[in-house]
Amino acid sequence: DAGVIQSPRHEVTEMGQEVTLRCKPISGHNSLFWYRQTMMRGLELLIYFNNNVPIDDSGMPEDRFSAKMPNASFSTLKIQPSEPRDSAVYFCASSPTTGFYGYTFGSGTRLTVV
Amino acid sequence: GQQLNQSPQSMFIQEGEDVSMNCTSSSIFNTWLWYKQEPGEGPVLLIALYKAGELTSNGRLTAQFGITRKDSFLNISASIPSDVGIYFCAGVTGNQFYFGTGTSLTVIP
């Protein structure tokens, strides 16, 4: 299994531009999570989906952030317009229905907004 | 949200030494997890703990679920250079993971 695949690995963009981060979960996993990691705030859960349906988006910082999961094998996190304070590493994770050992993180997307 | 504090924040140790770190919370959790994150990668699960007082080992790693359910401990015995990384605890309630602030470990050969 290739694990959770995120793209791009690195993204540098100018303030005001739209940014789209992509995630392919592990096949058969029915839950998908988006996290943001910064030095100041650590790992924060932004949103999670169960069976492609958003369950809890209370961690999404503001309306500039949106996430979709159109099917079981793909999810996007979009920031529009981006701001320098959005610079962080964004992780996607997926998990099966039960058990924590299957909860797997991707390698992350390092976003820099200048 | 939930606050999980890890200590120490960072450690510099000699190869072969044992390592201890802990994680405390003001809230009770039903499950405690310990993750390791290496540079440029996502966290990888090391150990999961499911009940108060539980002591679980994974090779040279041993973790304990505190009796109060508000804390957890991780020990690494006989450290080696590849133990370098950031160790995170996570408390779990339902489907929510709350991550600690991390302990950065540096092992000096």
Short mmCIF file of all heavy atoms in Angstrom, two decimals, chain B residues 76-107:
data_model
loop_
_atom_site.label_atom_id
_atom_site.label_comp_id
_atom_site.label_asym_id
_atom_site.label_seq_id
_atom_site.Cartn_x
_atom_site.Cartn_y
_atom_site.Cartn_z
N ILE B 76 12.00 5.44 26.57
CA ILE B 76 12.80 4.80 25.53
C ILE B 76 14.08 4.31 26.19
O ILE B 76 14.80 5.10 26.82
CB ILE B 76 13.15 5.76 24.38
CG1 ILE B 76 11.89 6.41 23.80
CG2 ILE B 76 13.93 5.03 23.28
CD1 ILE B 76 12.17 7.51 22.79
N SER B 77 14.35 3.04 26.10
CA SER B 77 15.56 2.51 26.74
C SER B 77 16.68 2.41 25.72
O SER B 77 16.45 2.19 24.52
CB SER B 77 15.28 1.14 27.35
OG SER B 77 14.91 0.22 26.34
N ALA B 78 17.90 2.59 26.21
CA ALA B 78 19.10 2.42 25.39
C ALA B 78 18.97 3.14 24.05
O ALA B 78 18.99 2.51 22.99
CB ALA B 78 19.40 0.94 25.20
N SER B 79 18.86 4.45 24.10
CA SER B 79 18.60 5.24 22.89
C SER B 79 19.67 5.04 21.83
O SER B 79 20.85 4.80 22.13
CB SER B 79 18.48 6.71 23.25
OG SER B 79 19.68 7.14 23.87
N ILE B 80 19.25 5.15 20.59
CA ILE B 80 20.14 5.05 19.44
C ILE B 80 19.91 6.27 18.54
O ILE B 80 18.87 6.94 18.66
CB ILE B 80 19.90 3.74 18.66
CG1 ILE B 80 18.45 3.65 18.17
CG2 ILE B 80 20.24 2.54 19.53
CD1 ILE B 80 18.16 2.41 17.35
N PRO B 81 20.84 6.58 17.66
CA PRO B 81 20.71 7.80 16.84
C PRO B 81 19.40 7.89 16.05
O PRO B 81 18.86 8.97 15.87
CB PRO B 81 21.93 7.72 15.91
CG PRO B 81 22.95 7.01 16.73
CD PRO B 81 22.19 5.98 17.51
N SER B 82 18.86 6.78 15.62
CA SER B 82 17.62 6.83 14.83
C SER B 82 16.38 7.12 15.67
O SER B 82 15.28 7.27 15.12
CB SER B 82 17.43 5.51 14.07
OG SER B 82 17.29 4.44 14.96
N ASP B 83 16.55 7.26 16.97
CA ASP B 83 15.43 7.67 17.82
C ASP B 83 15.16 9.17 17.69
O ASP B 83 14.16 9.68 18.20
CB ASP B 83 15.70 7.34 19.30
CG ASP B 83 15.67 5.85 19.58
OD1 ASP B 83 15.00 5.11 18.84
OD2 ASP B 83 16.34 5.43 20.55
N VAL B 84 16.04 9.88 17.02
CA VAL B 84 15.88 11.32 16.84
C VAL B 84 14.54 11.64 16.19
O VAL B 84 14.12 10.99 15.25
CB VAL B 84 17.03 11.87 15.98
CG1 VAL B 84 16.70 13.26 15.44
CG2 VAL B 84 18.31 11.92 16.77
N GLY B 85 13.87 12.67 16.71
CA GLY B 85 12.60 13.10 16.15
C GLY B 85 11.81 13.85 17.19
O GLY B 85 12.29 14.15 18.27
N ILE B 86 10.57 14.14 16.83
CA ILE B 86 9.66 14.79 17.78
C ILE B 86 8.61 13.77 18.18
O ILE B 86 7.98 13.14 17.32
CB ILE B 86 8.99 16.04 17.17
CG1 ILE B 86 10.06 17.03 16.72
CG2 ILE B 86 8.06 16.68 18.19
CD1 ILE B 86 9.49 18.27 16.04
N TYR B 87 8.42 13.62 19.46
CA TYR B 87 7.46 12.65 19.99
C TYR B 87 6.22 13.41 20.47
O TYR B 87 6.32 14.36 21.24
CB TYR B 87 8.09 11.85 21.14
CG TYR B 87 9.17 10.93 20.64
CD1 TYR B 87 10.45 11.41 20.34
CD2 TYR B 87 8.92 9.57 20.45
CE1 TYR B 87 11.44 10.56 19.86
CE2 TYR B 87 9.90 8.72 19.96
CZ TYR B 87 11.16 9.23 19.67
OH TYR B 87 12.13 8.38 19.18
N PHE B 88 5.09 12.97 19.98
CA PHE B 88 3.82 13.59 20.34
C PHE B 88 2.94 12.59 21.08
O PHE B 88 2.84 11.43 20.68
CB PHE B 88 3.05 14.03 19.09
CG PHE B 88 3.64 15.19 18.36
CD1 PHE B 88 4.46 14.98 17.25
CD2 PHE B 88 3.40 16.49 18.76
CE1 PHE B 88 5.01 16.04 16.56
CE2 PHE B 88 3.94 17.56 18.08
CZ PHE B 88 4.76 17.34 16.98
N CYS B 89 2.29 13.09 22.11
CA CYS B 89 1.22 12.31 22.70
C CYS B 89 -0.09 12.79 22.09
O CYS B 89 -0.17 13.90 21.55
CB CYS B 89 1.18 12.47 24.22
SG CYS B 89 0.84 14.16 24.75
N ALA B 90 -1.10 11.98 22.17
CA ALA B 90 -2.44 12.37 21.72
C ALA B 90 -3.45 11.73 22.64
O ALA B 90 -3.38 10.53 22.93
CB ALA B 90 -2.69 11.96 20.27
N GLY B 91 -4.38 12.55 23.13
CA GLY B 91 -5.51 12.03 23.88
C GLY B 91 -6.69 11.93 22.95
O GLY B 91 -6.88 12.79 22.08
N VAL B 92 -7.44 10.87 23.10
CA VAL B 92 -8.55 10.62 22.18
C VAL B 92 -9.87 10.57 22.93
O VAL B 92 -9.99 9.85 23.94
CB VAL B 92 -8.36 9.30 21.41
CG1 VAL B 92 -9.48 9.12 20.39
CG2 VAL B 92 -7.00 9.27 20.72
N THR B 93 -10.82 11.32 22.44
CA THR B 93 -12.20 11.25 22.93
C THR B 93 -13.09 11.11 21.71
O THR B 93 -13.11 12.00 20.86
CB THR B 93 -12.58 12.53 23.70
OG1 THR B 93 -11.70 12.68 24.81
CG2 THR B 93 -14.01 12.45 24.18
N GLY B 94 -13.80 10.00 21.62
CA GLY B 94 -14.61 9.76 20.43
C GLY B 94 -13.72 9.71 19.21
O GLY B 94 -12.75 8.96 19.16
N ASN B 95 -14.01 10.53 18.22
CA ASN B 95 -13.20 10.60 17.01
C ASN B 95 -12.21 11.74 17.05
O ASN B 95 -11.52 12.00 16.07
CB ASN B 95 -14.09 10.77 15.79
CG ASN B 95 -14.35 9.45 15.10
OD1 ASN B 95 -13.56 8.53 15.24
ND2 ASN B 95 -15.44 9.37 14.39
N GLN B 96 -12.14 12.45 18.16
CA GLN B 96 -11.28 13.63 18.25
C GLN B 96 -9.93 13.27 18.84
O GLN B 96 -9.85 12.66 19.90
CB GLN B 96 -11.94 14.69 19.13
CG GLN B 96 -13.17 15.30 18.51
CD GLN B 96 -12.84 16.36 17.46
OE1 GLN B 96 -11.68 16.60 17.15
NE2 GLN B 96 -13.85 16.97 16.91
N PHE B 97 -8.88 13.66 18.11
CA PHE B 97 -7.51 13.50 18.59
C PHE B 97 -7.04 14.88 19.06
O PHE B 97 -7.14 15.86 18.32
CB PHE B 97 -6.58 13.06 17.46
CG PHE B 97 -6.65 11.60 17.12
CD1 PHE B 97 -7.85 10.96 16.96
CD2 PHE B 97 -5.48 10.87 16.94
CE1 PHE B 97 -7.90 9.61 16.64
CE2 PHE B 97 -5.53 9.52 16.62
CZ PHE B 97 -6.74 8.90 16.47
N TYR B 98 -6.47 14.94 20.27
CA TYR B 98 -5.89 16.18 20.75
C TYR B 98 -4.40 15.93 20.97
O TYR B 98 -4.03 15.10 21.80
CB TYR B 98 -6.56 16.62 22.05
CG TYR B 98 -8.04 16.91 21.88
CD1 TYR B 98 -8.99 15.92 22.13
CD2 TYR B 98 -8.46 18.15 21.44
CE1 TYR B 98 -10.33 16.18 21.95
CE2 TYR B 98 -9.82 18.42 21.27
CZ TYR B 98 -10.74 17.42 21.52
OH TYR B 98 -12.08 17.67 21.34
N PHE B 99 -3.58 16.63 20.21
CA PHE B 99 -2.15 16.37 20.24
C PHE B 99 -1.45 17.25 21.25
O PHE B 99 -1.82 18.41 21.47
CB PHE B 99 -1.55 16.61 18.86
CG PHE B 99 -1.80 15.48 17.91
CD1 PHE B 99 -2.95 15.45 17.13
CD2 PHE B 99 -0.90 14.43 17.79
CE1 PHE B 99 -3.20 14.39 16.26
CE2 PHE B 99 -1.14 13.37 16.92
CZ PHE B 99 -2.29 13.36 16.17
N GLY B 100 -0.40 16.68 21.86
CA GLY B 100 0.45 17.43 22.76
C GLY B 100 1.38 18.35 21.99
O GLY B 100 1.40 18.36 20.76
N THR B 101 2.14 19.09 22.74
CA THR B 101 3.03 20.11 22.17
C THR B 101 4.33 19.53 21.63
O THR B 101 5.06 20.20 20.94
CB THR B 101 3.34 21.17 23.22
OG1 THR B 101 3.72 20.50 24.44
CG2 THR B 101 2.11 22.02 23.51
N GLY B 102 4.60 18.27 21.95
CA GLY B 102 5.76 17.59 21.38
C GLY B 102 7.00 17.69 22.25
O GLY B 102 7.22 18.68 22.95
N THR B 103 7.80 16.64 22.21
CA THR B 103 9.13 16.60 22.83
C THR B 103 10.13 16.29 21.74
O THR B 103 10.03 15.24 21.09
CB THR B 103 9.21 15.53 23.93
OG1 THR B 103 8.37 15.89 25.02
CG2 THR B 103 10.65 15.37 24.42
N SER B 104 11.07 17.21 21.53
CA SER B 104 12.09 17.02 20.51
C SER B 104 13.27 16.27 21.12
O SER B 104 13.83 16.70 22.13
CB SER B 104 12.55 18.39 19.98
OG SER B 104 13.63 18.23 19.10
N LEU B 105 13.63 15.16 20.51
CA LEU B 105 14.71 14.32 21.04
C LEU B 105 15.90 14.35 20.09
O LEU B 105 15.76 14.09 18.90
CB LEU B 105 14.23 12.89 21.22
CG LEU B 105 15.26 11.88 21.70
CD1 LEU B 105 15.77 12.23 23.09
CD2 LEU B 105 14.70 10.46 21.69
N THR B 106 17.06 14.66 20.64
CA THR B 106 18.31 14.60 19.89
C THR B 106 19.22 13.59 20.58
O THR B 106 19.42 13.68 21.80
CB THR B 106 19.01 15.97 19.83
OG1 THR B 106 18.12 16.90 19.22
CG2 THR B 106 20.30 15.89 19.04
N VAL B 107 19.73 12.64 19.85
CA VAL B 107 20.62 11.62 20.39
C VAL B 107 22.02 11.86 19.84
O VAL B 107 22.21 11.86 18.62
CB VAL B 107 20.14 10.21 20.03
CG1 VAL B 107 21.10 9.16 20.61
CG2 VAL B 107 18.73 9.98 20.55
#
